[in-house]
Amino acid sequence: MSINATLIGQMITFTLLVWFTMQYVWPPLIEALEERKKKISDGLAAAEKGQEDMKLAEKKANKYLKEAKVESANIIALAQKRANEIVEESKNTAKSEGEKMIESAKAQIEQETQQAKESLRKEVSSLALKAAEQILQEEVDKTKHKDILGRTSKQLG
Amino acid sequence: MASEGGTTGYIVHHLTPLTVGEGFWTLHLDTLFFSAVLGGLFILFFKSVAEKVTTGVPGPAQNFAEMMIEFVDQQVKDTFHGQSKLIAPLGLTIFCWVFLWNMMDLLPVDLLSLISSLMGIEYLRVVPSTDLNATFALSISVFILIIFYSIKIKGVLGFARELTCTPFGPWMMPFNLLLKVVEEIAKPISLALRLFGNLYAGELIFILIALLPAFIQPLLSFPWAIFHILIIVLQAFIFMVLTIVYLSMAHEDH
C-alpha cells in the first residue's frame, strides 16, 4: 500500500487524458449542443413568427374581402342607377320625339287648313267678283270702281 | 479459491498489485495498465462521437455522450461562475475515468486474476481506485491545479494574503497560515482517501463474500453489487463535483 512511482505514471496518464478531452472531445460536442440549442430556438421563433404572419395575412385577406364586397355592391348600385337613368332617358326621348311628331303633324294640319281656307276664300272672292261683275256688267267700270272692288275683296278676305 | 494459502492468503493475494521495480520506483503494472486501457476506452468513445457529431438528430452513441457532456456542463455551470476552458473537460475526464475504474469492481473478483494466473501473472489487482497511487495521482493533479489557479487569478501576493490574513485578520498570521495550509492539504487527501476507502472496502467485501460457501454467495454478492452500482457512480460524481468546487474556490477572489 505504498506510494510510489505509479503515482507519477498515473498523473501523466491523467494529464494526457485531460489534454485530449480538452482538445478534441469537449469543444466539438459542446459546440454541436449549442448549435442544436440555437437551431431549436430559432425554429421555435420562426414557427411563432409564421403563425403570427398567417394571422396577419388572414386579417388582411378578410379586410380585402370586405372591401371588395363593398365595392362590388357599389358598382352594382351604380349600374342599376345608370340603367334606370338610361331607361328614363330613352323614355323621355321617345316622349319628346312623339310630341314633336304630334306637333309637326298639327302644324301641317294647320298649314293645310290655312291653305284650304285661303284657296276657298280666293274662290269665294273670285266667285263673288264674277257674280258682281255679271250683275254690274253694264254700270260698273272695272277701272272706274277699282277702289271699291279692292275694298270689297279685302273685306271678303 | 479459498483453498490456496488459506483465507488470509486469498485476501492478501487479491489485494497485492503486480509490481516491477524497487522502493519508490516500484510501478504497479496492473493499475497503470487498467487505468490506461479504461482511459483509452473513454477517449476512443468520445473521440469517435466527436468526429461524427451532428447538430441534427443524434444517434444513440452521440445521445449518450451528449447526456454526459450536458450533465457535467450543468454541474460546472451551477458551481463555477467564471470563464475556463479547462474545468468542464477536466470534470468530464475525472467523472468518466473514475467511473470506469470503479466499474471494474463489479467484475467477479476471481475472474480476471484467474485468467491472468493462467497467463502466468501471479498478482493482479483490477480496480485502479483500490490503489492509493491512482487516487492520489488524481487528487494531487487537482491540487496542483488549485494552487496554479489561485496564483494565476489572485497573484502571488493575493494568494499569500489569503493564506495569512484570513479568516482572522493579519494579527493572527501564524494561526491563519496553519489553518489555511491544513485546509488546502486536506483537499487532495480527502479526495483521494474518500475514493480509495470506498472502493477498497467494497472490493474487500466482494472478496469476503467470495470466501463464503458457494450457495450463499449469490445471496450476498447480488445485493452488494446492486448497492455498489450506486456507490461507484456516486464516488465518481463526488470526485468530479468536489474538483469543480475546489477549482471555483481557487478562482474566487476574497
Short mmCIF file of all heavy atoms in Angstrom, two decimals, chain A residues 1-11 13-14 17-18 20-22 24-26 28-30 32-37 39, chain B residues 24-28 32 35 43 46 53-56 62 66 69-70 73 86 88 90 93-94 97 101 133-134 136-138 141:
data_model
loop_
_atom_site.label_atom_id
_atom_site.label_comp_id
_atom_site.label_asym_id
_atom_site.label_seq_id
_atom_site.Cartn_x
_atom_site.Cartn_y
_atom_site.Cartn_z
N MET A 1 0.84 -1.22 0.00
CA MET A 1 0.00 0.00 0.00
C MET A 1 0.86 1.25 0.00
O MET A 1 0.53 2.26 0.58
CB MET A 1 -0.88 -0.02 1.27
CG MET A 1 -2.21 0.70 1.08
SD MET A 1 -3.04 0.16 -0.39
CE MET A 1 -3.23 -1.59 0.02
N SER A 2 2.00 1.12 -0.65
CA SER A 2 2.93 2.25 -0.57
C SER A 2 2.73 3.19 -1.75
O SER A 2 2.31 2.78 -2.82
CB SER A 2 4.36 1.72 -0.59
OG SER A 2 4.51 0.86 -1.68
N ILE A 3 3.02 4.45 -1.47
CA ILE A 3 3.01 5.44 -2.55
C ILE A 3 4.33 5.29 -3.30
O ILE A 3 5.39 5.28 -2.68
CB ILE A 3 2.91 6.86 -1.97
CG1 ILE A 3 1.58 7.04 -1.24
CG2 ILE A 3 3.08 7.90 -3.07
CD1 ILE A 3 0.39 7.04 -2.13
N ASN A 4 4.23 5.18 -4.60
CA ASN A 4 5.47 5.02 -5.36
C ASN A 4 5.33 5.64 -6.75
O ASN A 4 4.42 6.43 -6.99
CB ASN A 4 5.86 3.55 -5.45
CG ASN A 4 4.71 2.71 -5.95
OD1 ASN A 4 3.98 3.16 -6.82
ND2 ASN A 4 4.54 1.53 -5.38
N ALA A 5 6.22 5.24 -7.64
CA ALA A 5 6.28 5.88 -8.95
C ALA A 5 5.02 5.68 -9.78
O ALA A 5 4.80 6.41 -10.75
CB ALA A 5 7.48 5.34 -9.72
N THR A 6 4.19 4.72 -9.38
CA THR A 6 2.91 4.55 -10.07
C THR A 6 2.14 5.87 -10.09
O THR A 6 1.48 6.21 -11.07
CB THR A 6 2.06 3.50 -9.34
OG1 THR A 6 2.88 2.37 -9.08
CG2 THR A 6 0.87 3.10 -10.17
N LEU A 7 2.28 6.59 -8.97
CA LEU A 7 1.61 7.90 -8.84
C LEU A 7 1.99 8.80 -10.01
O LEU A 7 1.12 9.42 -10.63
CB LEU A 7 2.06 8.53 -7.52
CG LEU A 7 1.48 9.88 -7.18
CD1 LEU A 7 0.12 9.71 -6.55
CD2 LEU A 7 2.39 10.63 -6.24
N ILE A 8 3.28 8.84 -10.32
CA ILE A 8 3.74 9.73 -11.40
C ILE A 8 3.18 9.25 -12.75
O ILE A 8 2.68 10.05 -13.55
CB ILE A 8 5.28 9.77 -11.43
CG1 ILE A 8 5.77 10.40 -10.12
CG2 ILE A 8 5.77 10.57 -12.62
CD1 ILE A 8 7.24 10.14 -9.84
N GLY A 9 3.24 7.94 -12.92
CA GLY A 9 2.68 7.39 -14.16
C GLY A 9 1.21 7.73 -14.31
O GLY A 9 0.75 8.16 -15.39
N GLN A 10 0.46 7.59 -13.23
CA GLN A 10 -0.96 7.89 -13.28
C GLN A 10 -1.21 9.36 -13.57
O GLN A 10 -2.14 9.70 -14.30
CB GLN A 10 -1.61 7.51 -11.94
CG GLN A 10 -1.75 6.03 -11.72
CD GLN A 10 -2.76 5.42 -12.66
OE1 GLN A 10 -2.42 4.93 -13.71
NE2 GLN A 10 -4.03 5.48 -12.29
N MET A 11 -0.36 10.20 -12.95
CA MET A 11 -0.53 11.65 -13.19
C MET A 11 -0.29 11.98 -14.65
O MET A 11 -1.00 12.80 -15.24
CB MET A 11 0.41 12.45 -12.29
CG MET A 11 -0.16 12.65 -10.89
SD MET A 11 1.02 13.35 -9.75
CE MET A 11 0.99 15.05 -10.23
N THR A 13 -0.71 9.93 -17.23
CA THR A 13 -1.88 9.44 -17.96
C THR A 13 -3.05 10.41 -17.83
O THR A 13 -3.71 10.76 -18.81
CB THR A 13 -2.32 8.07 -17.42
OG1 THR A 13 -1.16 7.26 -17.21
CG2 THR A 13 -3.27 7.38 -18.37
N PHE A 14 -3.26 10.84 -16.59
CA PHE A 14 -4.38 11.75 -16.32
C PHE A 14 -4.23 13.04 -17.11
O PHE A 14 -5.17 13.53 -17.74
CB PHE A 14 -4.44 12.03 -14.82
CG PHE A 14 -5.56 12.96 -14.43
CD1 PHE A 14 -6.86 12.66 -14.76
CD2 PHE A 14 -5.30 14.12 -13.72
CE1 PHE A 14 -7.89 13.50 -14.40
CE2 PHE A 14 -6.32 14.96 -13.35
CZ PHE A 14 -7.61 14.65 -13.70
N LEU A 17 -5.02 12.46 -20.68
CA LEU A 17 -6.46 12.30 -20.89
C LEU A 17 -7.17 13.64 -20.87
O LEU A 17 -8.00 13.95 -21.73
CB LEU A 17 -7.06 11.39 -19.80
CG LEU A 17 -6.81 9.90 -19.92
CD1 LEU A 17 -7.44 9.18 -18.75
CD2 LEU A 17 -7.40 9.37 -21.21
N VAL A 18 -6.81 14.45 -19.86
CA VAL A 18 -7.48 15.76 -19.75
C VAL A 18 -7.15 16.62 -20.95
O VAL A 18 -8.03 17.26 -21.53
CB VAL A 18 -7.04 16.47 -18.44
CG1 VAL A 18 -7.56 17.89 -18.43
CG2 VAL A 18 -7.57 15.73 -17.24
N PHE A 20 -6.34 15.64 -23.93
CA PHE A 20 -7.04 15.13 -25.11
C PHE A 20 -8.52 15.53 -25.09
O PHE A 20 -9.07 16.00 -26.08
CB PHE A 20 -6.91 13.60 -25.16
CG PHE A 20 -7.33 13.02 -26.47
CD1 PHE A 20 -6.41 12.82 -27.47
CD2 PHE A 20 -8.66 12.68 -26.69
CE1 PHE A 20 -6.80 12.29 -28.69
CE2 PHE A 20 -9.05 12.16 -27.90
CZ PHE A 20 -8.11 11.96 -28.90
N THR A 21 -9.12 15.36 -23.92
CA THR A 21 -10.54 15.73 -23.80
C THR A 21 -10.74 17.20 -24.11
O THR A 21 -11.67 17.59 -24.81
CB THR A 21 -11.04 15.44 -22.37
OG1 THR A 21 -10.62 14.14 -22.00
CG2 THR A 21 -12.54 15.54 -22.28
N MET A 22 -9.83 18.01 -23.55
CA MET A 22 -9.93 19.46 -23.73
C MET A 22 -9.78 19.83 -25.19
O MET A 22 -10.41 20.76 -25.68
CB MET A 22 -8.80 20.11 -22.95
CG MET A 22 -9.23 21.16 -21.99
SD MET A 22 -7.80 21.61 -21.05
CE MET A 22 -7.36 23.10 -21.88
N TYR A 24 -9.87 17.67 -28.11
CA TYR A 24 -10.58 17.02 -29.21
C TYR A 24 -11.99 16.56 -28.88
O TYR A 24 -12.75 16.25 -29.78
CB TYR A 24 -9.78 15.81 -29.70
CG TYR A 24 -8.41 16.16 -30.19
CD1 TYR A 24 -7.27 15.82 -29.48
CD2 TYR A 24 -8.26 16.89 -31.37
CE1 TYR A 24 -6.01 16.17 -29.92
CE2 TYR A 24 -7.01 17.25 -31.82
CZ TYR A 24 -5.88 16.88 -31.10
OH TYR A 24 -4.65 17.24 -31.55
N VAL A 25 -12.32 16.47 -27.62
CA VAL A 25 -13.63 15.89 -27.27
C VAL A 25 -14.63 16.97 -26.90
O VAL A 25 -15.71 17.06 -27.47
CB VAL A 25 -13.49 14.86 -26.13
CG1 VAL A 25 -14.85 14.44 -25.64
CG2 VAL A 25 -12.68 13.67 -26.60
N TRP A 26 -14.24 17.79 -25.96
CA TRP A 26 -15.21 18.75 -25.40
C TRP A 26 -15.67 19.79 -26.42
O TRP A 26 -16.89 19.97 -26.60
CB TRP A 26 -14.62 19.42 -24.17
CG TRP A 26 -15.63 20.21 -23.42
CD1 TRP A 26 -15.90 21.54 -23.56
CD2 TRP A 26 -16.54 19.73 -22.44
NE1 TRP A 26 -16.91 21.92 -22.74
CE2 TRP A 26 -17.32 20.83 -22.03
CE3 TRP A 26 -16.78 18.48 -21.86
CZ2 TRP A 26 -18.32 20.72 -21.07
CZ3 TRP A 26 -17.78 18.37 -20.89
CH2 TRP A 26 -18.53 19.48 -20.52
N PRO A 28 -15.91 20.13 -29.86
CA PRO A 28 -16.89 19.84 -30.91
C PRO A 28 -18.24 19.44 -30.36
O PRO A 28 -19.28 19.83 -30.90
CB PRO A 28 -16.25 18.67 -31.69
CG PRO A 28 -15.20 18.13 -30.82
CD PRO A 28 -14.73 19.24 -29.96
N LEU A 29 -18.23 18.68 -29.24
CA LEU A 29 -19.51 18.22 -28.70
C LEU A 29 -20.31 19.37 -28.13
O LEU A 29 -21.50 19.52 -28.40
CB LEU A 29 -19.27 17.15 -27.63
CG LEU A 29 -18.97 15.77 -28.20
CD1 LEU A 29 -18.52 14.83 -27.11
CD2 LEU A 29 -20.20 15.21 -28.89
N ILE A 30 -19.65 20.21 -27.35
CA ILE A 30 -20.39 21.31 -26.73
C ILE A 30 -20.85 22.29 -27.80
O ILE A 30 -21.93 22.87 -27.71
CB ILE A 30 -19.53 22.01 -25.63
CG1 ILE A 30 -20.44 22.76 -24.65
CG2 ILE A 30 -18.54 22.99 -26.20
CD1 ILE A 30 -20.99 21.88 -23.57
N ALA A 32 -21.67 21.47 -30.87
CA ALA A 32 -22.85 20.85 -31.51
C ALA A 32 -24.08 21.05 -30.64
O ALA A 32 -25.16 21.37 -31.15
CB ALA A 32 -22.60 19.36 -31.73
N LEU A 33 -23.89 20.90 -29.34
CA LEU A 33 -25.03 21.08 -28.43
C LEU A 33 -25.56 22.50 -28.51
O LEU A 33 -26.76 22.74 -28.62
CB LEU A 33 -24.60 20.76 -26.99
CG LEU A 33 -24.49 19.29 -26.65
CD1 LEU A 33 -23.98 19.12 -25.25
CD2 LEU A 33 -25.85 18.63 -26.78
N GLU A 34 -24.61 23.46 -28.47
CA GLU A 34 -25.03 24.86 -28.52
C GLU A 34 -25.76 25.15 -29.83
O GLU A 34 -26.78 25.83 -29.85
CB GLU A 34 -23.81 25.78 -28.40
CG GLU A 34 -23.16 25.79 -27.03
CD GLU A 34 -24.11 26.26 -25.95
OE1 GLU A 34 -24.87 27.22 -26.19
OE2 GLU A 34 -24.10 25.68 -24.85
N GLU A 35 -25.18 24.59 -30.90
CA GLU A 35 -25.75 24.85 -32.21
C GLU A 35 -27.17 24.29 -32.32
O GLU A 35 -28.07 24.94 -32.83
CB GLU A 35 -24.86 24.23 -33.28
CG GLU A 35 -24.84 25.02 -34.57
CD GLU A 35 -23.88 24.43 -35.54
OE1 GLU A 35 -22.71 24.25 -35.14
OE2 GLU A 35 -24.29 24.13 -36.67
N ARG A 36 -27.30 23.06 -31.77
CA ARG A 36 -28.64 22.48 -31.81
C ARG A 36 -29.61 23.31 -31.00
O ARG A 36 -30.74 23.55 -31.41
CB ARG A 36 -28.60 21.04 -31.31
CG ARG A 36 -29.98 20.48 -31.27
CD ARG A 36 -30.12 18.97 -31.26
NE ARG A 36 -29.01 18.21 -31.72
CZ ARG A 36 -28.30 17.41 -30.91
NH1 ARG A 36 -28.61 17.33 -29.64
NH2 ARG A 36 -27.34 16.71 -31.40
N LYS A 37 -29.13 23.76 -29.84
CA LYS A 37 -29.99 24.59 -28.99
C LYS A 37 -30.46 25.81 -29.78
O LYS A 37 -31.63 26.18 -29.77
CB LYS A 37 -29.20 25.03 -27.76
CG LYS A 37 -29.89 24.72 -26.45
CD LYS A 37 -29.05 25.16 -25.30
CE LYS A 37 -28.48 24.00 -24.53
NZ LYS A 37 -27.52 24.40 -23.52
N LYS A 39 -30.52 26.17 -33.02
CA LYS A 39 -31.39 25.76 -34.12
C LYS A 39 -32.82 25.62 -33.63
O LYS A 39 -33.76 26.10 -34.25
CB LYS A 39 -30.91 24.40 -34.65
CG LYS A 39 -30.29 24.43 -36.03
CD LYS A 39 -30.13 22.99 -36.47
CE LYS A 39 -29.24 22.84 -37.65
NZ LYS A 39 -28.94 21.43 -37.88
N PHE B 24 10.87 3.40 -4.12
CA PHE B 24 9.95 4.40 -4.69
C PHE B 24 9.68 4.12 -6.15
O PHE B 24 8.61 4.42 -6.67
CB PHE B 24 10.54 5.81 -4.51
CG PHE B 24 9.66 6.86 -5.14
CD1 PHE B 24 8.47 7.23 -4.54
CD2 PHE B 24 10.01 7.45 -6.36
CE1 PHE B 24 7.65 8.17 -5.12
CE2 PHE B 24 9.20 8.39 -6.94
CZ PHE B 24 8.01 8.77 -6.32
N TRP B 25 10.65 3.58 -6.83
CA TRP B 25 10.48 3.37 -8.27
C TRP B 25 9.72 2.09 -8.62
O TRP B 25 9.81 1.60 -9.72
CB TRP B 25 11.84 3.41 -8.97
CG TRP B 25 12.38 4.81 -8.89
CD1 TRP B 25 13.41 5.25 -8.12
CD2 TRP B 25 11.86 5.95 -9.58
NE1 TRP B 25 13.59 6.60 -8.27
CE2 TRP B 25 12.64 7.06 -9.16
CE3 TRP B 25 10.82 6.15 -10.48
CZ2 TRP B 25 12.42 8.35 -9.62
CZ3 TRP B 25 10.60 7.44 -10.93
CH2 TRP B 25 11.38 8.52 -10.50
N THR B 26 8.99 1.60 -7.63
CA THR B 26 8.10 0.48 -7.92
C THR B 26 6.96 0.96 -8.81
O THR B 26 6.39 2.03 -8.59
CB THR B 26 7.51 -0.08 -6.63
OG1 THR B 26 8.56 -0.23 -5.69
CG2 THR B 26 6.82 -1.40 -6.87
N LEU B 27 6.61 0.16 -9.80
CA LEU B 27 5.45 0.50 -10.63
C LEU B 27 4.38 -0.57 -10.46
O LEU B 27 4.68 -1.76 -10.52
CB LEU B 27 5.85 0.58 -12.11
CG LEU B 27 6.66 1.81 -12.53
CD1 LEU B 27 7.08 1.67 -13.98
CD2 LEU B 27 5.87 3.08 -12.31
N HIS B 28 3.16 -0.12 -10.22
CA HIS B 28 2.05 -1.07 -10.17
C HIS B 28 1.56 -1.27 -11.60
O HIS B 28 0.77 -0.48 -12.10
CB HIS B 28 0.92 -0.55 -9.29
CG HIS B 28 1.32 -0.48 -7.84
ND1 HIS B 28 0.52 0.08 -6.89
CD2 HIS B 28 2.43 -0.90 -7.20
CE1 HIS B 28 1.12 0.02 -5.71
NE2 HIS B 28 2.28 -0.57 -5.88
N LEU B 32 -1.52 0.76 -13.69
CA LEU B 32 -1.17 1.54 -14.88
C LEU B 32 -1.88 1.00 -16.11
O LEU B 32 -2.46 1.75 -16.89
CB LEU B 32 0.35 1.52 -15.10
CG LEU B 32 1.15 2.35 -14.10
CD1 LEU B 32 2.63 2.06 -14.26
CD2 LEU B 32 0.88 3.82 -14.29
N SER B 35 -5.89 1.37 -15.87
CA SER B 35 -6.36 2.75 -15.98
C SER B 35 -6.08 3.31 -17.37
O SER B 35 -6.88 4.06 -17.91
CB SER B 35 -5.72 3.64 -14.90
OG SER B 35 -4.33 3.59 -14.99
N ILE B 43 -11.58 7.77 -24.11
CA ILE B 43 -11.15 8.67 -25.18
C ILE B 43 -11.68 8.20 -26.54
O ILE B 43 -12.21 9.00 -27.31
CB ILE B 43 -9.60 8.70 -25.22
CG1 ILE B 43 -9.05 9.49 -24.04
CG2 ILE B 43 -9.09 9.28 -26.52
CD1 ILE B 43 -9.34 10.94 -24.12
N PHE B 46 -15.51 8.85 -26.86
CA PHE B 46 -15.89 10.26 -27.03
C PHE B 46 -15.30 10.86 -28.30
O PHE B 46 -15.94 11.69 -28.96
CB PHE B 46 -15.47 11.07 -25.80
CG PHE B 46 -16.49 11.02 -24.71
CD1 PHE B 46 -16.45 10.02 -23.76
CD2 PHE B 46 -17.51 11.95 -24.65
CE1 PHE B 46 -17.41 9.96 -22.77
CE2 PHE B 46 -18.46 11.89 -23.67
CZ PHE B 46 -18.41 10.88 -22.71
N VAL B 53 -20.02 14.04 -34.96
CA VAL B 53 -21.08 14.80 -34.29
C VAL B 53 -21.95 15.52 -35.30
O VAL B 53 -21.50 15.99 -36.33
CB VAL B 53 -20.46 15.80 -33.28
CG1 VAL B 53 -19.78 16.94 -33.99
CG2 VAL B 53 -21.52 16.31 -32.33
N THR B 54 -23.25 15.52 -35.01
CA THR B 54 -24.19 16.21 -35.89
C THR B 54 -25.11 17.08 -35.05
O THR B 54 -25.42 16.75 -33.91
CB THR B 54 -25.02 15.20 -36.70
OG1 THR B 54 -26.17 15.87 -37.21
CG2 THR B 54 -25.46 14.02 -35.85
N THR B 55 -25.53 18.18 -35.63
CA THR B 55 -26.47 19.03 -34.90
C THR B 55 -27.91 18.60 -35.15
O THR B 55 -28.83 19.14 -34.59
CB THR B 55 -26.31 20.50 -35.31
OG1 THR B 55 -26.45 20.58 -36.72
CG2 THR B 55 -24.96 21.03 -34.90
N GLY B 56 -28.04 17.62 -36.04
CA GLY B 56 -29.39 17.10 -36.30
C GLY B 56 -29.80 16.10 -35.24
O GLY B 56 -29.44 16.24 -34.08
N GLN B 62 -24.08 9.24 -29.73
CA GLN B 62 -23.98 10.68 -29.53
C GLN B 62 -24.94 11.14 -28.45
O GLN B 62 -24.63 12.03 -27.65
CB GLN B 62 -24.29 11.41 -30.83
CG GLN B 62 -23.92 12.89 -30.76
CD GLN B 62 -24.35 13.65 -31.98
OE1 GLN B 62 -24.50 13.09 -33.05
NE2 GLN B 62 -24.54 14.94 -31.82
N GLU B 66 -23.72 13.15 -25.36
CA GLU B 66 -24.30 14.47 -25.10
C GLU B 66 -24.90 14.55 -23.71
O GLU B 66 -24.81 15.56 -23.03
CB GLU B 66 -25.38 14.78 -26.14
CG GLU B 66 -24.80 15.31 -27.42
CD GLU B 66 -25.87 15.53 -28.46
OE1 GLU B 66 -27.07 15.39 -28.12
OE2 GLU B 66 -25.51 15.84 -29.59
N ILE B 69 -22.04 15.02 -21.39
CA ILE B 69 -21.48 16.38 -21.54
C ILE B 69 -22.41 17.39 -20.87
O ILE B 69 -21.97 18.27 -20.13
CB ILE B 69 -21.32 16.71 -23.03
CG1 ILE B 69 -20.29 15.80 -23.65
CG2 ILE B 69 -20.98 18.18 -23.22
CD1 ILE B 69 -18.99 16.41 -23.98
N GLU B 70 -23.70 17.25 -21.14
CA GLU B 70 -24.64 18.21 -20.57
C GLU B 70 -24.70 18.10 -19.07
O GLU B 70 -24.80 19.10 -18.36
CB GLU B 70 -26.03 18.00 -21.17
CG GLU B 70 -26.17 18.70 -22.49
CD GLU B 70 -27.60 18.85 -22.91
OE1 GLU B 70 -28.36 17.89 -22.70
OE2 GLU B 70 -27.95 19.90 -23.45
N ASP B 73 -21.54 19.68 -17.81
CA ASP B 73 -21.61 21.11 -18.08
C ASP B 73 -22.54 21.81 -17.10
O ASP B 73 -22.27 22.91 -16.61
CB ASP B 73 -22.09 21.31 -19.52
CG ASP B 73 -21.75 22.70 -20.02
OD1 ASP B 73 -20.62 23.14 -19.75
OD2 ASP B 73 -22.60 23.35 -20.65
N LEU B 86 -10.79 24.79 -19.14
CA LEU B 86 -10.25 23.55 -18.59
C LEU B 86 -11.24 22.79 -17.73
O LEU B 86 -11.32 21.57 -17.81
CB LEU B 86 -8.99 23.89 -17.76
CG LEU B 86 -8.41 22.71 -16.98
CD1 LEU B 86 -7.68 21.79 -17.93
CD2 LEU B 86 -7.50 23.17 -15.88
N ALA B 88 -14.52 22.20 -17.30
CA ALA B 88 -15.55 21.26 -17.74
C ALA B 88 -14.95 19.98 -18.35
O ALA B 88 -15.35 18.88 -17.95
CB ALA B 88 -16.51 21.94 -18.72
N LEU B 90 -12.09 18.78 -17.73
CA LEU B 90 -11.45 18.11 -16.60
C LEU B 90 -12.49 17.31 -15.82
O LEU B 90 -12.27 16.15 -15.47
CB LEU B 90 -10.79 19.16 -15.69
CG LEU B 90 -10.11 18.65 -14.44
CD1 LEU B 90 -8.74 18.11 -14.79
CD2 LEU B 90 -10.00 19.73 -13.39
N THR B 93 -13.53 14.24 -17.75
CA THR B 93 -12.50 13.20 -17.71
C THR B 93 -12.50 12.50 -16.36
O THR B 93 -12.48 11.27 -16.29
CB THR B 93 -11.11 13.82 -17.96
OG1 THR B 93 -11.19 14.67 -19.09
CG2 THR B 93 -10.08 12.75 -18.20
N ILE B 94 -12.53 13.30 -15.30
CA ILE B 94 -12.50 12.70 -13.96
C ILE B 94 -13.70 11.78 -13.77
O ILE B 94 -13.57 10.63 -13.35
CB ILE B 94 -12.47 13.80 -12.88
CG1 ILE B 94 -11.11 14.48 -12.87
CG2 ILE B 94 -12.79 13.22 -11.51
CD1 ILE B 94 -10.99 15.58 -11.86
N TRP B 97 -13.49 8.64 -16.11
CA TRP B 97 -12.36 7.79 -15.81
C TRP B 97 -12.56 7.08 -14.46
O TRP B 97 -12.42 5.86 -14.36
CB TRP B 97 -11.07 8.61 -15.82
CG TRP B 97 -9.84 7.81 -16.13
CD1 TRP B 97 -9.78 6.68 -16.85
CD2 TRP B 97 -8.51 8.13 -15.72
NE1 TRP B 97 -8.49 6.26 -16.94
CE2 TRP B 97 -7.69 7.13 -16.25
CE3 TRP B 97 -7.93 9.16 -14.97
CZ2 TRP B 97 -6.31 7.12 -16.05
CZ3 TRP B 97 -6.56 9.16 -14.78
CH2 TRP B 97 -5.75 8.14 -15.31
N TRP B 101 -12.95 3.11 -13.67
CA TRP B 101 -12.13 2.42 -12.66
C TRP B 101 -13.02 1.63 -11.72
O TRP B 101 -12.82 0.45 -11.51
CB TRP B 101 -11.38 3.44 -11.79
CG TRP B 101 -10.20 4.10 -12.41
CD1 TRP B 101 -9.69 3.89 -13.63
CD2 TRP B 101 -9.39 5.08 -11.78
NE1 TRP B 101 -8.60 4.69 -13.82
CE2 TRP B 101 -8.40 5.43 -12.70
CE3 TRP B 101 -9.41 5.70 -10.53
CZ2 TRP B 101 -7.43 6.39 -12.42
CZ3 TRP B 101 -8.44 6.65 -10.24
CH2 TRP B 101 -7.45 6.99 -11.18
N ASN B 133 -2.08 5.03 -5.19
CA ASN B 133 -1.33 5.80 -6.18
C ASN B 133 -2.26 6.41 -7.22
O ASN B 133 -2.09 7.55 -7.64
CB ASN B 133 -0.33 4.88 -6.89
CG ASN B 133 0.78 4.49 -5.96
OD1 ASN B 133 1.50 5.34 -5.47
ND2 ASN B 133 0.90 3.20 -5.68
N ALA B 134 -3.24 5.63 -7.64
CA ALA B 134 -4.16 6.13 -8.66
C ALA B 134 -5.00 7.29 -8.13
O ALA B 134 -5.13 8.33 -8.77
CB ALA B 134 -5.07 4.99 -9.13
N PHE B 136 -4.45 9.16 -5.50
CA PHE B 136 -3.63 10.32 -5.17
C PHE B 136 -3.12 11.03 -6.42
O PHE B 136 -2.97 12.25 -6.44
CB PHE B 136 -2.47 9.95 -4.25
CG PHE B 136 -2.79 10.15 -2.81
CD1 PHE B 136 -2.92 9.07 -1.94
CD2 PHE B 136 -2.99 11.43 -2.31
CE1 PHE B 136 -3.24 9.25 -0.62
CE2 PHE B 136 -3.31 11.62 -0.98
CZ PHE B 136 -3.43 10.53 -0.12
N ALA B 137 -2.88 10.26 -7.48
CA ALA B 137 -2.45 10.90 -8.73
C ALA B 137 -3.50 11.88 -9.19
O ALA B 137 -3.19 13.02 -9.57
CB ALA B 137 -2.21 9.84 -9.81
N LEU B 138 -4.76 11.48 -9.12
CA LEU B 138 -5.85 12.38 -9.50
C LEU B 138 -5.90 13.59 -8.57
O LEU B 138 -5.93 14.74 -9.01
CB LEU B 138 -7.19 11.65 -9.42
CG LEU B 138 -7.64 10.81 -10.60
CD1 LEU B 138 -9.08 10.37 -10.36
CD2 LEU B 138 -7.54 11.60 -11.87
N SER B 141 -3.01 16.00 -8.86
CA SER B 141 -3.14 16.80 -10.08
C SER B 141 -4.13 17.94 -9.86
O SER B 141 -3.89 19.09 -10.23
CB SER B 141 -3.63 15.92 -11.24
OG SER B 141 -2.76 14.85 -11.43
#
